Amino acid sequence: MKSKPKKEYPIQKSKEEWEEILDPHSYHVLREKGTERPFTGQYYLNKETGIYECRACGNEIFHSSKKYDSGCGWPSFTEPIRPEAIDVQMDYSHFMIREEILCANCGGHLGHRFPDGPQDQGGIRYCINSVSMDFKKGDK
Ligand SMILES: [Zn+2]
């Protein structure tokens, strides 16, 4: 069974073009919907202040002020930097029903979201692969 037609993203590139831009691990996660191993990501324990961008296209997706320690093994956030920065699609793979989080600009796979986030901050956990993001350190 195929899910509904994928939405058209502003940034469209061929497989070859993405392979040129991205390292193999980032390519696998962003373009082939892979998952980095838990507790291994470069930003899992990052507590610095700044902005997380999509590694494929530079779209700003999360701010460090919404990052929290969920204990799940991946960088976790309570909400995106702006609602329109991300796209949400239903994901029926691996015999589960999950909400997939993609970059709204290029359609790159970022991770999933789950309804088990901190209750006092909206109750949502955005569980995002480190290799899908680049961190830009800032002072706010
Ligand atoms: Zn992107």
Side-chain angles (χ1 to χ4, degrees), residues 20-82:
E20 202 148 294
I21 296 170
L22 299 167
D23 64 89
H25 194 192
S26 294
Y27 178 87
H28 175 62
V29 172
L30 282 157
R31 305 311 309 174
E32 300 178 329
K33 305 187 189 302
T35 302
E36 72 191 10
R37 285 170 44 228
F39 306 103
T40 62
Q42 135 185 50
Y43 301 131
Y44 168 53
L45 295 171
N46 186 23
K47 289 187 164 53
E48 290 189 301
T49 298
I51 288 172
Y52 294 85
E53 299 178 344
C54 170
R55 183 167 286 181
C57 75
N59 183 26
E60 295 183 347
I61 44 179
F62 291 99
H63 189 273
S64 58
S65 61
K66 302 295 180 186
K67 190 173 189 291
Y68 76 103
D69 187 4
S70 70
C72 76
W74 292 274
S76 300
F77 303 86
T78 54
E79 60 180 286
I81 198 162
R82 289 170 291 116

Side-chain angles (χ1 to χ4, degrees), residues 62-112:
F62 291 99
H63 189 273
S64 58
S65 61
K66 302 295 180 186
K67 190 173 189 291
Y68 76 103
D69 187 4
S70 70
C72 76
W74 292 274
S76 300
F77 303 86
T78 54
E79 60 180 286
I81 198 162
R82 289 170 291 116
E84 63 273 20
I86 58 156
D87 182 36
V88 181
Q89 298 270 342
M90 294 311 292
D91 174 6
Y92 301 99
S93 65
H94 304 287
F95 306 101
M96 290 180 273
I97 299 174
R98 294 180 294 175
E99 289 185 306
E100 180 189 3
I101 304 302
L102 305 104
C103 170
N105 205 24
C106 72
H109 172 80
L110 303 174
H112 291 88

